[in-house]
Structure formats: C-alpha cells, structure tokens
Amino acid sequence: MAHLDRVFHSLSDGTRRAIIAQLACGPASISDLAQRHHMALPSFMKHIRVLEESEIVVSRKTGRVRMCELRPDALTAAQGWLEQERRIWETRLNQLDAFVETLAAKENTRGHK
Amino acid sequence: MAHLDRVFHSLSDGTRRAIIAQLACGPASISDLAQRHHMALPSFMKHIRVLEESEIVVSRKTGRVRMCELRPDALTAAQGWLEQERRIWETRLNQLDAFVETLAAKENTRGHK
C-alpha cells in the first residue's frame, strides 16, 4: 500500500479525523483520547494503529502513559496532492475561458464587418 | 457514512487518484479511462462507482458512450478540512514559539539584574 493510500485511508473515518483535530491542539495520552471518544480501549487502539501506520501520529511511552503526537508531514503530502490536482483543473478551466473569449471576440469582429 | 469519509476513502486508492488526475485534464469516456488503466471493465466500474458515490466524479451517457467528469467541490471539502487542521496546528506552534521567546526574554532580564 502506498503512503498516500494509507494517509487518505486514515482520513476516511470520522473518529480518526476527530483524533487528528484534537492532536492538532497538542499532544494527548491514549487513555485521554479514548475517554473523550467514549470508546473501549481495544477498538480505540485500532484507530491509533491506522494513524501510526500512515505516519500521521506517533506515540511514545513516557513512564506508564503512552502519549500521542501529530506528525503533520503526512497531512502535508495529502494536501500537496489535492493542491496539484486543483492547479491542473484550474489551468484547464482558465484555458477553456480564454478559448471561449477568443471565439466570442472573433464572432464580434465578424459581426462588425 | 459521512461525505468526507467517502471522499477520503475515494482518494485512498492509487487507481482512483490516477482517474482523478486524468479527469482534471478534461472529461473522458469510461472505456478510454479503463483502457488507459489496463483494467477489465467490471473491476474498473467499481472504482468509478466509488468515485461517483463520493461525488468526486459524475458520469452521463451521451449516445452510446458514458462520459466521466470531475466535480471539484468534493475535493475542495477535503482540502478545506486539511487546511483547517493545519491552521489549528500552526497557531499552536506559533503560540509555543511566542511562549518560549517570552521565557527566554525573562531569563535574559534576570541574567542582567
């Protein structure tokens, strides 16, 4: 599975997006995150694993607590892909606009002859 | 399934991203797209259906040909979500920077006393 596949797969679930939103505000422990999402730890851990596999989240144990932190590079990769496609799309629309304007101008010139 | 779930799920597959990239350059028929991806039509149609369910792609029949077109609104929604999280993340980092600077300034003042 390619990295972008994993990143977008991570983002395709509301709980995982909520975890990302929370971690954007600062690191949090897994038990805090699980409590906030009213989820049993085993189901919650599956979401954390998906987020870790896509490198959106890293977790490390500090004493008895496992802390999660956001790694924004993976999100930047996803944003980059979307931005690139948008640019191609907008360039095409601008070219279409320019083409239509050229046609209209020609039509106008012909009308005035 | 929420709309953003569907959009990000659509984006989580390399073939579907390639279809989006191609449609960003202009509409194309399903058979053209399938040929370009060296894929049998039934497997290819599954990808098109996923893209249609997330409203990234619309297809309509013109005579005997089914044409696909990109609908960029769904991609804009995905970009919007990522952009929002980045802003929260960056605001937090800036606040942390400011806090560290304040601490350093205080430390400096104390050093000069």
CSV table of all heavy atoms in Angstrom, one decimal, chain A residues 43-106:
chain,number,residue,atom,x,y,z
A,43,SER,N,-10.9,-1.1,20.7
A,43,SER,CA,-11.4,-0.6,19.5
A,43,SER,C,-10.6,0.7,19.2
A,43,SER,O,-10.3,1.0,18.0
A,43,SER,CB,-12.9,-0.3,19.5
A,43,SER,OG,-13.5,-1.1,20.4
A,44,PHE,N,-10.4,1.5,20.2
A,44,PHE,CA,-9.7,2.7,20.0
A,44,PHE,C,-8.3,2.5,19.5
A,44,PHE,O,-7.8,3.3,18.6
A,44,PHE,CB,-9.7,3.5,21.3
A,44,PHE,CG,-9.3,4.9,21.1
A,44,PHE,CD1,-10.1,5.9,20.6
A,44,PHE,CD2,-8.0,5.4,21.5
A,44,PHE,CE1,-9.7,7.2,20.3
A,44,PHE,CE2,-7.6,6.7,21.3
A,44,PHE,CZ,-8.4,7.6,20.7
A,45,MET,N,-7.6,1.5,20.1
A,45,MET,CA,-6.2,1.2,19.7
A,45,MET,C,-6.1,0.9,18.2
A,45,MET,O,-5.1,1.2,17.5
A,45,MET,CB,-5.6,0.1,20.5
A,45,MET,CG,-5.3,0.5,21.9
A,45,MET,SD,-4.2,1.9,22.0
A,45,MET,CE,-2.7,1.3,21.2
A,46,LYS,N,-7.2,0.3,17.6
A,46,LYS,CA,-7.2,0.0,16.2
A,46,LYS,C,-7.0,1.3,15.4
A,46,LYS,O,-6.3,1.4,14.4
A,46,LYS,CB,-8.4,-0.7,15.8
A,46,LYS,CG,-8.4,-2.2,16.1
A,46,LYS,CD,-9.6,-2.9,15.6
A,46,LYS,CE,-9.8,-4.2,16.4
A,46,LYS,NZ,-11.2,-4.8,16.2
A,47,HIS,N,-7.8,2.3,15.8
A,47,HIS,CA,-7.7,3.6,15.1
A,47,HIS,C,-6.3,4.2,15.2
A,47,HIS,O,-5.8,4.8,14.3
A,47,HIS,CB,-8.7,4.6,15.7
A,47,HIS,CG,-10.1,4.3,15.3
A,47,HIS,ND1,-10.5,4.2,14.0
A,47,HIS,CD2,-11.3,4.0,16.0
A,47,HIS,CE1,-11.8,3.9,13.9
A,47,HIS,NE2,-12.3,3.8,15.1
A,48,ILE,N,-5.7,4.1,16.5
A,48,ILE,CA,-4.4,4.7,16.7
A,48,ILE,C,-3.4,4.0,15.8
A,48,ILE,O,-2.5,4.6,15.2
A,48,ILE,CB,-4.0,4.6,18.2
A,48,ILE,CG1,-4.9,5.4,19.1
A,48,ILE,CG2,-2.5,5.0,18.4
A,48,ILE,CD1,-4.8,6.9,18.9
A,49,ARG,N,-3.5,2.7,15.7
A,49,ARG,CA,-2.6,1.9,14.8
A,49,ARG,C,-2.7,2.4,13.4
A,49,ARG,O,-1.7,2.5,12.7
A,49,ARG,CB,-2.9,0.4,14.9
A,49,ARG,CG,-2.0,-0.3,16.0
A,49,ARG,CD,-2.0,-1.8,15.9
A,49,ARG,NE,-3.3,-2.3,16.2
A,49,ARG,CZ,-3.6,-2.6,17.5
A,49,ARG,NH1,-2.8,-2.3,18.5
A,49,ARG,NH2,-4.8,-3.1,17.8
A,50,VAL,N,-3.9,2.6,12.9
A,50,VAL,CA,-4.1,3.0,11.5
A,50,VAL,C,-3.4,4.4,11.3
A,50,VAL,O,-2.7,4.6,10.3
A,50,VAL,CB,-5.6,3.1,11.1
A,50,VAL,CG1,-5.8,3.8,9.7
A,50,VAL,CG2,-6.2,1.7,11.1
A,51,LEU,N,-3.6,5.3,12.3
A,51,LEU,CA,-3.0,6.6,12.2
A,51,LEU,C,-1.4,6.5,12.3
A,51,LEU,O,-0.7,7.3,11.7
A,51,LEU,CB,-3.5,7.5,13.4
A,51,LEU,CG,-4.9,8.0,13.2
A,51,LEU,CD1,-5.5,8.5,14.5
A,51,LEU,CD2,-5.0,9.1,12.2
A,52,GLU,N,-0.9,5.5,13.1
A,52,GLU,CA,0.5,5.4,13.2
A,52,GLU,C,1.1,4.8,11.9
A,52,GLU,O,2.1,5.2,11.4
A,52,GLU,CB,0.9,4.5,14.4
A,52,GLU,CG,0.7,5.2,15.7
A,52,GLU,CD,1.3,4.4,16.9
A,52,GLU,OE1,1.0,3.2,17.0
A,52,GLU,OE2,2.1,5.0,17.7
A,53,GLU,N,0.4,3.8,11.3
A,53,GLU,CA,0.8,3.2,10.0
A,53,GLU,C,0.9,4.3,8.9
A,53,GLU,O,1.8,4.1,8.0
A,53,GLU,CB,-0.1,2.1,9.6
A,53,GLU,CG,0.3,0.8,10.4
A,53,GLU,CD,-0.8,-0.3,10.3
A,53,GLU,OE1,-1.8,-0.1,9.5
A,53,GLU,OE2,-0.8,-1.2,11.1
A,54,SER,N,0.1,5.3,9.0
A,54,SER,CA,0.1,6.3,7.9
A,54,SER,C,1.1,7.4,8.3
A,54,SER,O,1.2,8.4,7.6
A,54,SER,CB,-1.3,6.8,7.7
A,54,SER,OG,-1.8,7.5,8.9
A,55,GLU,N,1.7,7.3,9.5
A,55,GLU,CA,2.7,8.3,10.0
A,55,GLU,C,2.1,9.6,10.2
A,55,GLU,O,2.8,10.7,10.2
A,55,GLU,CB,3.9,8.4,9.0
A,55,GLU,CG,4.6,7.1,8.9
A,55,GLU,CD,5.7,7.1,7.7
A,55,GLU,OE1,6.0,8.2,7.2
A,55,GLU,OE2,6.1,6.0,7.4
A,56,ILE,N,0.7,9.6,10.5
A,56,ILE,CA,0.1,10.9,10.8
A,56,ILE,C,0.3,11.1,12.3
A,56,ILE,O,0.4,12.3,12.8
A,56,ILE,CB,-1.4,10.9,10.5
A,56,ILE,CG1,-1.6,10.8,9.0
A,56,ILE,CG2,-2.2,12.1,11.1
A,56,ILE,CD1,-3.1,10.7,8.5
A,57,VAL,N,0.4,10.0,13.1
A,57,VAL,CA,0.5,10.1,14.5
A,57,VAL,C,1.7,9.3,15.0
A,57,VAL,O,2.0,8.2,14.4
A,57,VAL,CB,-0.8,9.6,15.2
A,57,VAL,CG1,-0.6,9.3,16.7
A,57,VAL,CG2,-1.9,10.6,15.1
A,58,VAL,N,2.5,9.8,15.9
A,58,VAL,CA,3.5,8.9,16.6
A,58,VAL,C,3.1,8.8,18.1
A,58,VAL,O,2.5,9.8,18.6
A,58,VAL,CB,4.9,9.5,16.5
A,58,VAL,CG1,5.5,9.2,15.2
A,58,VAL,CG2,5.0,10.9,16.9
A,59,SER,N,3.3,7.7,18.6
A,59,SER,CA,3.1,7.6,20.1
A,59,SER,C,4.4,7.1,20.8
A,59,SER,O,5.1,6.3,20.2
A,59,SER,CB,1.9,6.6,20.3
A,59,SER,OG,2.3,5.3,20.2
A,60,ARG,N,4.6,7.6,22.0
A,60,ARG,CA,5.7,7.0,22.7
A,60,ARG,C,5.3,7.0,24.2
A,60,ARG,O,4.5,7.7,24.7
A,60,ARG,CB,7.0,7.8,22.5
A,60,ARG,CG,7.0,9.3,22.7
A,60,ARG,CD,8.4,9.9,22.5
A,60,ARG,NE,8.8,10.0,21.1
A,60,ARG,CZ,8.5,11.0,20.3
A,60,ARG,NH1,7.7,12.0,20.8
A,60,ARG,NH2,8.9,11.1,19.1
A,61,LYS,N,5.9,5.9,24.8
A,61,LYS,CA,5.6,5.7,26.2
A,61,LYS,C,6.5,6.6,27.1
A,61,LYS,O,7.7,6.7,27.0
A,61,LYS,CB,5.8,4.3,26.6
A,61,LYS,CG,4.7,3.7,27.5
A,61,LYS,CD,4.7,2.2,27.6
A,61,LYS,CE,3.7,1.9,28.6
A,61,LYS,NZ,3.5,0.4,28.8
A,62,THR,N,5.9,7.4,28.0
A,62,THR,CA,6.6,8.2,29.0
A,62,THR,C,6.2,7.7,30.3
A,62,THR,O,5.1,8.0,30.8
A,62,THR,CB,6.2,9.7,28.8
A,62,THR,OG1,6.2,10.0,27.4
A,62,THR,CG2,7.3,10.6,29.5
A,63,GLY,N,7.0,6.9,31.0
A,63,GLY,CA,6.6,6.3,32.2
A,63,GLY,C,5.5,5.3,32.0
A,63,GLY,O,5.7,4.4,31.1
A,64,ARG,N,4.4,5.4,32.6
A,64,ARG,CA,3.3,4.5,32.4
A,64,ARG,C,2.2,5.0,31.4
A,64,ARG,O,1.2,4.3,31.2
A,64,ARG,CB,2.6,4.2,33.8
A,64,ARG,CG,3.5,3.4,34.7
A,64,ARG,CD,3.0,3.5,36.1
A,64,ARG,NE,1.9,2.5,36.3
A,64,ARG,CZ,1.2,2.4,37.5
A,64,ARG,NH1,1.5,3.2,38.5
A,64,ARG,NH2,0.3,1.5,37.6
A,65,VAL,N,2.5,6.1,30.8
A,65,VAL,CA,1.5,6.8,30.0
A,65,VAL,C,2.0,6.7,28.5
A,65,VAL,O,3.2,7.1,28.3
A,65,VAL,CB,1.2,8.2,30.4
A,65,VAL,CG1,0.2,8.9,29.5
A,65,VAL,CG2,0.7,8.2,31.8
A,66,ARG,N,1.1,6.3,27.6
A,66,ARG,CA,1.5,6.4,26.2
A,66,ARG,C,0.9,7.7,25.6
A,66,ARG,O,-0.3,7.9,25.6
A,66,ARG,CB,1.0,5.2,25.4
A,66,ARG,CG,1.4,5.2,23.9
A,66,ARG,CD,1.3,3.9,23.2
A,66,ARG,NE,2.3,2.9,23.6
A,66,ARG,CZ,3.5,2.9,23.0
A,66,ARG,NH1,3.9,3.7,22.1
A,66,ARG,NH2,4.4,2.0,23.4
A,67,MET,N,1.8,8.6,25.1
A,67,MET,CA,1.4,9.9,24.6
A,67,MET,C,1.4,9.9,23.1
A,67,MET,O,2.3,9.3,22.4
A,67,MET,CB,2.4,11.0,25.0
A,67,MET,CG,2.4,11.3,26.5
A,67,MET,SD,0.8,11.9,27.1
A,67,MET,CE,0.8,13.6,26.4
A,68,CYS,N,0.4,10.5,22.5
A,68,CYS,CA,0.3,10.6,21.0
A,68,CYS,C,0.6,12.0,20.6
A,68,CYS,O,0.2,13.0,21.2
A,68,CYS,CB,-1.1,10.3,20.6
A,68,CYS,SG,-1.5,8.6,20.8
A,69,GLU,N,1.2,12.1,19.4
A,69,GLU,CA,1.5,13.4,18.9
A,69,GLU,C,1.3,13.4,17.4
A,69,GLU,O,1.5,12.4,16.7
A,69,GLU,CB,3.0,13.7,19.2
A,69,GLU,CG,3.4,15.2,19.2
A,69,GLU,CD,4.8,15.4,19.6
A,69,GLU,OE1,5.3,14.7,20.5
A,69,GLU,OE2,5.4,16.3,19.0
A,70,LEU,N,0.9,14.6,16.9
A,70,LEU,CA,0.6,14.7,15.4
A,70,LEU,C,2.0,14.9,14.7
A,70,LEU,O,2.8,15.6,15.1
A,70,LEU,CB,-0.3,15.9,15.2
A,70,LEU,CG,-1.1,16.0,13.9
A,70,LEU,CD1,-2.1,14.8,13.8
A,70,LEU,CD2,-1.8,17.3,13.8
A,71,ARG,N,2.1,14.3,13.5
A,71,ARG,CA,3.2,14.5,12.6
A,71,ARG,C,2.6,15.1,11.3
A,71,ARG,O,2.1,14.4,10.5
A,71,ARG,CB,3.9,13.1,12.2
A,71,ARG,CG,4.7,12.5,13.3
A,71,ARG,CD,6.2,12.9,13.1
A,71,ARG,NE,6.8,13.0,14.4
A,71,ARG,CZ,7.1,14.1,15.0
A,71,ARG,NH1,6.7,15.3,14.5
A,71,ARG,NH2,7.7,14.1,16.2
A,72,PRO,N,2.7,16.4,11.2
A,72,PRO,CA,1.9,17.0,10.1
A,72,PRO,C,2.5,16.7,8.7
A,72,PRO,O,1.8,17.0,7.7
A,72,PRO,CB,2.0,18.5,10.4
A,72,PRO,CG,3.2,18.6,11.2
A,72,PRO,CD,3.5,17.4,11.9
A,73,ASP,N,3.6,16.1,8.5
A,73,ASP,CA,4.2,15.9,7.2
A,73,ASP,C,3.2,15.0,6.3
A,73,ASP,O,3.1,15.3,5.1
A,73,ASP,CB,5.5,15.1,7.3
A,73,ASP,CG,6.6,16.1,7.8
A,73,ASP,OD1,6.3,17.3,8.0
A,73,ASP,OD2,7.8,15.7,7.9
A,74,ALA,N,2.6,14.0,6.9
A,74,ALA,CA,1.8,13.1,6.1
A,74,ALA,C,0.6,13.9,5.6
A,74,ALA,O,0.1,13.7,4.5
A,74,ALA,CB,1.3,11.9,7.0
A,75,LEU,N,0.0,14.8,6.5
A,75,LEU,CA,-1.1,15.6,6.1
A,75,LEU,C,-0.7,16.6,5.0
A,75,LEU,O,-1.4,16.9,4.1
A,75,LEU,CB,-1.7,16.4,7.3
A,75,LEU,CG,-2.2,15.5,8.4
A,75,LEU,CD1,-2.8,16.3,9.5
A,75,LEU,CD2,-3.3,14.5,7.9
A,76,THR,N,0.6,17.1,5.1
A,76,THR,CA,1.1,18.0,4.0
A,76,THR,C,1.1,17.2,2.7
A,76,THR,O,0.8,17.8,1.6
A,76,THR,CB,2.5,18.5,4.4
A,76,THR,OG1,2.4,19.0,5.7
A,76,THR,CG2,3.0,19.5,3.5
A,77,ALA,N,1.5,16.0,2.7
A,77,ALA,CA,1.6,15.2,1.5
A,77,ALA,C,0.2,15.1,0.9
A,77,ALA,O,0.0,15.3,-0.4
A,77,ALA,CB,2.1,13.8,1.8
A,78,ALA,N,-0.8,14.8,1.7
A,78,ALA,CA,-2.2,14.7,1.2
A,78,ALA,C,-2.6,16.1,0.6
A,78,ALA,O,-3.2,16.1,-0.5
A,78,ALA,CB,-3.1,14.3,2.3
A,79,GLN,N,-2.3,17.2,1.3
A,79,GLN,CA,-2.7,18.5,0.9
A,79,GLN,C,-2.0,18.8,-0.4
A,79,GLN,O,-2.6,19.4,-1.3
A,79,GLN,CB,-2.3,19.5,1.9
A,79,GLN,CG,-3.4,20.1,2.8
A,79,GLN,CD,-3.0,21.3,3.5
A,79,GLN,OE1,-1.9,21.3,4.1
A,79,GLN,NE2,-3.8,22.3,3.5
A,80,GLY,N,-0.7,18.4,-0.5
A,80,GLY,CA,0.0,18.6,-1.8
A,80,GLY,C,-0.6,18.0,-3.0
A,80,GLY,O,-0.7,18.6,-4.0
A,81,TRP,N,-1.0,16.7,-2.8
A,81,TRP,CA,-1.6,16.0,-3.9
A,81,TRP,C,-2.9,16.7,-4.4
A,81,TRP,O,-3.1,17.0,-5.6
A,81,TRP,CB,-2.0,14.6,-3.5
A,81,TRP,CG,-2.4,13.8,-4.7
A,81,TRP,CD1,-1.6,13.1,-5.6
A,81,TRP,CD2,-3.8,13.6,-5.1
A,81,TRP,NE1,-2.4,12.6,-6.6
A,81,TRP,CE2,-3.7,12.8,-6.3
A,81,TRP,CE3,-5.0,14.0,-4.7
A,81,TRP,CZ2,-4.8,12.5,-7.1
A,81,TRP,CZ3,-6.1,13.7,-5.4
A,81,TRP,CH2,-6.0,12.9,-6.6
A,82,LEU,N,-3.8,17.1,-3.4
A,82,LEU,CA,-5.0,17.8,-3.7
A,82,LEU,C,-4.8,19.1,-4.4
A,82,LEU,O,-5.4,19.5,-5.4
A,82,LEU,CB,-5.9,18.0,-2.4
A,82,LEU,CG,-6.6,16.8,-1.9
A,82,LEU,CD1,-7.0,17.0,-0.5
A,82,LEU,CD2,-7.7,16.4,-2.8
A,83,GLU,N,-3.8,19.8,-3.9
A,83,GLU,CA,-3.4,21.1,-4.4
A,83,GLU,C,-3.0,21.0,-5.9
A,83,GLU,O,-3.3,21.8,-6.8
A,83,GLU,CB,-2.3,21.8,-3.6
A,83,GLU,CG,-2.0,23.2,-3.9
A,83,GLU,CD,-3.2,24.1,-3.9
A,83,GLU,OE1,-4.1,24.0,-3.1
A,83,GLU,OE2,-3.2,25.0,-4.8
A,84,GLN,N,-2.1,20.0,-6.2
A,84,GLN,CA,-1.6,19.8,-7.5
A,84,GLN,C,-2.8,19.5,-8.5
A,84,GLN,O,-2.8,20.1,-9.6
A,84,GLN,CB,-0.7,18.6,-7.4
A,84,GLN,CG,-0.2,18.0,-8.8
A,84,GLN,CD,0.5,16.7,-8.5
A,84,GLN,OE1,1.4,16.6,-7.7
A,84,GLN,NE2,0.1,15.6,-9.2
A,85,GLU,N,-3.7,18.7,-8.1
A,85,GLU,CA,-4.9,18.4,-9.0
A,85,GLU,C,-5.7,19.6,-9.2
A,85,GLU,O,-6.2,19.8,-10.3
A,85,GLU,CB,-5.7,17.2,-8.4
A,85,GLU,CG,-5.0,15.9,-8.3
A,85,GLU,CD,-4.2,15.6,-9.5
A,85,GLU,OE1,-4.6,15.7,-10.7
A,85,GLU,OE2,-3.0,15.1,-9.4
A,86,ARG,N,-5.9,20.4,-8.1
A,86,ARG,CA,-6.7,21.6,-8.3
A,86,ARG,C,-6.0,22.5,-9.3
A,86,ARG,O,-6.7,23.2,-10.1
A,86,ARG,CB,-6.8,22.3,-6.9
A,86,ARG,CG,-7.2,23.8,-7.0
A,86,ARG,CD,-7.3,24.5,-5.7
A,86,ARG,NE,-8.2,23.9,-4.8
A,86,ARG,CZ,-9.5,24.0,-4.9
A,86,ARG,NH1,-10.0,24.9,-5.8
A,86,ARG,NH2,-10.3,23.4,-4.1
A,87,ARG,N,-4.7,22.6,-9.2
A,87,ARG,CA,-4.0,23.5,-10.1
A,87,ARG,C,-4.2,23.1,-11.6
A,87,ARG,O,-4.4,23.9,-12.5
A,87,ARG,CB,-2.5,23.6,-9.8
A,87,ARG,CG,-2.1,25.0,-9.4
A,87,ARG,CD,-0.6,25.1,-9.0
A,87,ARG,NE,-0.4,24.6,-7.7
A,87,ARG,CZ,0.5,23.7,-7.3
A,87,ARG,NH1,1.4,23.3,-8.2
A,87,ARG,NH2,0.6,23.4,-6.0
A,88,ILE,N,-4.1,21.8,-11.8
A,88,ILE,CA,-4.3,21.3,-13.2
A,88,ILE,C,-5.7,21.6,-13.7
A,88,ILE,O,-5.9,22.1,-14.8
A,88,ILE,CB,-4.0,19.7,-13.2
A,88,ILE,CG1,-2.6,19.4,-12.9
A,88,ILE,CG2,-4.4,19.1,-14.6
A,88,ILE,CD1,-2.3,18.0,-12.6
A,89,TRP,N,-6.6,21.4,-12.8
A,89,TRP,CA,-8.1,21.6,-13.1
A,89,TRP,C,-8.3,23.1,-13.4
A,89,TRP,O,-9.0,23.4,-14.3
A,89,TRP,CB,-8.9,21.1,-11.9
A,89,TRP,CG,-10.3,21.6,-11.8
A,89,TRP,CD1,-10.8,22.7,-11.2
A,89,TRP,CD2,-11.4,21.0,-12.5
A,89,TRP,NE1,-12.1,22.8,-11.4
A,89,TRP,CE2,-12.6,21.7,-12.2
A,89,TRP,CE3,-11.6,19.8,-13.3
A,89,TRP,CZ2,-13.8,21.4,-12.7
A,89,TRP,CZ3,-12.8,19.5,-13.8
A,89,TRP,CH2,-13.9,20.3,-13.5
A,90,GLU,N,-7.7,24.0,-12.5
A,90,GLU,CA,-8.0,25.4,-12.7
A,90,GLU,C,-7.3,25.9,-14.0
A,90,GLU,O,-7.8,26.8,-14.7
A,90,GLU,CB,-7.5,26.2,-11.5
A,90,GLU,CG,-8.5,26.0,-10.4
A,90,GLU,CD,-8.1,26.7,-9.1
A,90,GLU,OE1,-6.9,27.1,-9.0
A,90,GLU,OE2,-8.9,26.7,-8.2
A,91,THR,N,-6.1,25.4,-14.3
A,91,THR,CA,-5.4,25.8,-15.5
A,91,THR,C,-6.3,25.4,-16.7
A,91,THR,O,-6.5,26.2,-17.6
A,91,THR,CB,-4.0,25.0,-15.6
A,91,THR,OG1,-3.3,25.3,-14.4
A,91,THR,CG2,-3.2,25.5,-16.8
A,92,ARG,N,-6.9,24.2,-16.7
A,92,ARG,CA,-7.7,23.8,-17.8
A,92,ARG,C,-8.9,24.7,-17.9
A,92,ARG,O,-9.3,25.2,-19.0
A,92,ARG,CB,-8.2,22.4,-17.5
A,92,ARG,CG,-9.0,21.8,-18.7
A,92,ARG,CD,-9.6,20.5,-18.4
A,92,ARG,NE,-10.8,20.4,-19.1
A,92,ARG,CZ,-12.0,20.4,-18.5
A,92,ARG,NH1,-12.1,20.4,-17.2
A,92,ARG,NH2,-13.1,20.4,-19.2
A,93,LEU,N,-9.6,25.1,-16.8
A,93,LEU,CA,-10.7,25.9,-16.8
A,93,LEU,C,-10.4,27.3,-17.4
A,93,LEU,O,-11.1,27.9,-18.2
A,93,LEU,CB,-11.3,26.1,-15.4
A,93,LEU,CG,-12.1,24.9,-14.9
A,93,LEU,CD1,-13.0,25.3,-13.7
A,93,LEU,CD2,-13.0,24.3,-16.0
A,94,ASN,N,-9.2,27.8,-17.0
A,94,ASN,CA,-8.7,29.1,-17.5
A,94,ASN,C,-8.5,29.1,-19.0
A,94,ASN,O,-8.8,30.0,-19.7
A,94,ASN,CB,-7.4,29.6,-16.8
A,94,ASN,CG,-7.7,29.9,-15.3
A,94,ASN,OD1,-8.9,30.2,-14.9
A,94,ASN,ND2,-6.7,29.9,-14.5
A,95,GLN,N,-7.9,28.0,-19.4
A,95,GLN,CA,-7.7,27.8,-20.9
A,95,GLN,C,-9.0,27.8,-21.6
A,95,GLN,O,-9.1,28.4,-22.7
A,95,GLN,CB,-6.9,26.5,-21.2
A,95,GLN,CG,-5.4,26.7,-20.8
A,95,GLN,CD,-4.7,25.4,-20.8
A,95,GLN,OE1,-5.3,24.3,-20.8
A,95,GLN,NE2,-3.3,25.4,-20.8
A,96,LEU,N,-10.0,27.1,-21.0
A,96,LEU,CA,-11.3,27.0,-21.6
A,96,LEU,C,-11.9,28.4,-21.7
A,96,LEU,O,-12.5,28.8,-22.8
A,96,LEU,CB,-12.2,26.1,-20.8
A,96,LEU,CG,-12.3,24.6,-21.2
A,96,LEU,CD1,-13.2,23.9,-20.3
A,96,LEU,CD2,-12.6,24.4,-22.6
A,97,ASP,N,-11.8,29.2,-20.6
A,97,ASP,CA,-12.3,30.5,-20.6
A,97,ASP,C,-11.7,31.4,-21.7
A,97,ASP,O,-12.4,32.1,-22.4
A,97,ASP,CB,-12.0,31.2,-19.2
A,97,ASP,CG,-13.0,30.8,-18.2
A,97,ASP,OD1,-14.0,30.1,-18.5
A,97,ASP,OD2,-12.8,31.1,-17.0
A,98,ALA,N,-10.4,31.3,-21.8
A,98,ALA,CA,-9.6,32.1,-22.8
A,98,ALA,C,-10.1,31.7,-24.2
A,98,ALA,O,-10.3,32.5,-25.0
A,98,ALA,CB,-8.1,31.8,-22.6
A,99,PHE,N,-10.3,30.4,-24.4
A,99,PHE,CA,-10.7,29.9,-25.7
A,99,PHE,C,-12.1,30.5,-26.0
A,99,PHE,O,-12.3,30.9,-27.1
A,99,PHE,CB,-10.7,28.4,-25.7
A,99,PHE,CG,-11.2,27.7,-26.9
A,99,PHE,CD1,-10.4,27.8,-28.1
A,99,PHE,CD2,-12.4,27.0,-27.0
A,99,PHE,CE1,-10.9,27.2,-29.3
A,99,PHE,CE2,-12.8,26.4,-28.1
A,99,PHE,CZ,-12.1,26.5,-29.3
A,100,VAL,N,-13.0,30.4,-25.1
A,100,VAL,CA,-14.4,30.9,-25.3
A,100,VAL,C,-14.3,32.4,-25.6
A,100,VAL,O,-15.0,32.9,-26.5
A,100,VAL,CB,-15.3,30.6,-24.0
A,100,VAL,CG1,-16.6,31.3,-24.1
A,100,VAL,CG2,-15.5,29.1,-23.9
A,101,GLU,N,-13.5,33.2,-24.8
A,101,GLU,CA,-13.3,34.6,-25.1
A,101,GLU,C,-12.8,34.9,-26.5
A,101,GLU,O,-13.3,35.8,-27.1
A,101,GLU,CB,-12.4,35.2,-24.0
A,101,GLU,CG,-13.2,35.6,-22.8
A,101,GLU,CD,-12.2,36.1,-21.7
A,101,GLU,OE1,-11.2,36.7,-22.0
A,101,GLU,OE2,-12.5,35.8,-20.5
A,102,THR,N,-11.8,34.1,-26.9
A,102,THR,CA,-11.3,34.3,-28.2
A,102,THR,C,-12.4,34.1,-29.3
A,102,THR,O,-12.5,34.8,-30.2
A,102,THR,CB,-10.1,33.3,-28.5
A,102,THR,OG1,-9.3,33.3,-27.3
A,102,THR,CG2,-9.3,33.6,-29.7
A,103,LEU,N,-13.1,33.0,-29.1
A,103,LEU,CA,-14.2,32.7,-30.0
A,103,LEU,C,-15.2,33.9,-30.1
A,103,LEU,O,-15.6,34.3,-31.1
A,103,LEU,CB,-15.0,31.4,-29.6
A,103,LEU,CG,-14.4,30.1,-30.0
A,103,LEU,CD1,-15.4,29.0,-29.6
A,103,LEU,CD2,-14.2,30.0,-31.5
A,104,ALA,N,-15.6,34.4,-28.8
A,104,ALA,CA,-16.6,35.5,-28.8
A,104,ALA,C,-16.0,36.7,-29.4
A,104,ALA,O,-16.8,37.4,-30.2
A,104,ALA,CB,-16.9,35.8,-27.3
A,105,ALA,N,-14.7,37.0,-29.3
A,105,ALA,CA,-14.1,38.2,-29.9
A,105,ALA,C,-14.1,38.0,-31.4
A,105,ALA,O,-14.5,39.0,-32.1
A,105,ALA,CB,-12.7,38.3,-29.4
A,106,LYS,N,-13.8,36.8,-31.9
A,106,LYS,CA,-13.8,36.6,-33.3
A,106,LYS,C,-15.2,36.8,-33.9
A,106,LYS,O,-15.5,37.4,-34.9
A,106,LYS,CB,-13.4,35.1,-33.6
A,106,LYS,CG,-11.9,35.0,-33.8
A,106,LYS,CD,-11.6,33.6,-34.4
A,106,LYS,CE,-10.1,33.4,-34.3
A,106,LYS,NZ,-9.8,31.9,-34.4
